[in-house]
Amino acid sequence: MDATPLPTLLEEHPVVASVKDEDDLNAVLRSDCRIVFLLYGTVLDLPAIVRRLKDDGRIVLVNVDLLEGFAGKEIVVRYVRERTAADGILSSKAFMVRAARELGLYAVHRFFLIDSMSYRNLAPQVRMSKADCVEILPGCMPRVITWVVADIDVPLIAGGLVCDRDDVFAALKAGASAIASSNREVWEM
């Protein structure tokens, strides 16, 4: 893991590439995006995928909720730490995020904000997980971004459905520290 705190890295590199398949992997290796959220992989190929990205100088955070062949238990975080060169993890589960922090990995707590109940649950979950950053999905809701930024004391990443330049600037203006997107045009901003 890079010794630089994740919030500092996001200040320097506010566009994060969300990579969901092999085509995206090849595309991100041709891009200038330094930080990568890896949204695919299996117990068999994860170390090699992470190694390709790390060999190209990328900072890699693995979404442990989307890995095939793993159970939704803390052992997956330990596997990522011990068997891959990943810098950190993303998860919607507070206990997974907290486990990553305890193991010295970067930890991003993901939230799918679908209603007022999920919104009200966010701040208490962040306090429990001790995340480095929070990612909210969808990230194309500037009004909600302002609410969340006021409620938490860690940087916010706007992800999901951030489709174009207008979405990027609206999210940043609302207080997001960074944008995560699988849209390759956004990667080039």
Side-chain angles (χ1 to χ4, degrees), residues 54-76:
K54 293 301 293 177
D55 286 349
D56 200 53
R58 309 308 165 118
I59 296 163
V60 182
L61 285 84
V62 176
N63 186 326
V64 294
D65 299 340
L66 298 177
L67 294 174
E68 292 182 47
F70 289 97
K73 299 186 178 179
E74 289 179 31
I75 191 72
V76 69

Side-chain angles (χ1 to χ4, degrees), residues 159-176:
L161 299 176
V162 178
C163 301
D164 58 27
R165 185 177 189 83
D166 291 341
D167 291 338
V168 169
F169 285 110
L172 293 172
K173 185 177 178 186

Side-chain angles (χ1 to χ4, degrees), residues 99-115:
R101 293 277 295 161
E102 290 170 358
L103 290 172
L105 293 169
Y106 294 140
V108 175
H109 199 153
R110 298 184 101 201
F111 288 91
F112 297 91
L113 293 181
I114 57 171
D115 57 20

Side-chain angles (χ1 to χ4, degrees), residues 29-51:
L29 291 170
R30 293 186 303 270
S31 82
D32 292 332
C33 285
R34 176 125 189 266
I35 303 173
V36 175
F37 286 176
L38 188 60
L39 308 181
Y40 81 103
T42 72
V43 68
L44 298 174
D45 62 11
L46 183 64
I49 295 168
V50 171
R51 177 55 39 212

